[in-house]
Amino acid sequence: EHYFVCHVGEFEIDESNREELERNYLRANRWWHLAEIAASPEVFVPRELAQLLAPILRGEYPSEPIVVGI
């Protein structure tokens, strides 16, 4: 998997182009605050998402890609 940082304005998620597998697997969408991710019992991928996002949200981008595992 590859993840990219992209800054966008507010928008509604368009689910119309999802494939059948995605429609069956992905039940809901929502936007999360970093504190919510860090405190949540939910499983995020990558598993260290909150720790990885914190510096990026401060504008501290790594000079090399980060290998996150699963």
Side-chain angles (χ1 to χ4, degrees):
E1 299 285 339
H2 293 93
Y3 302 89
F4 299 90
V5 175
C6 179
H7 298 274
V8 298
E10 187 175 322
F11 66 92
E12 291 293 321
I13 296 172
D14 179 1
E15 300 177 14
S16 63
N17 290 320
R18 287 196 175 161
E19 296 178 3
E20 183 178 356
L21 178 62
E22 293 171 313
R23 287 191 303 272
N24 291 333
Y25 182 73
L26 301 172
R27 302 274 185 233
N29 298 302
R30 66 168 280 207
W31 298 109
W32 294 73
H33 291 277
L34 181 59
E36 292 176 308
I37 295 170
S40 176
E42 297 290 333
V43 175
F44 292 89
V45 177
R47 300 219 188 270
E48 309 299 323
L49 183 61
Q51 293 86 345
L52 293 167
L53 277 178
I56 291 170
L57 292 173
R58 291 191 302 265
E60 301 169 8
Y61 300 102
S63 58
E64 296 290 325
I66 300 170
V67 177
V68 297
I70 57 170

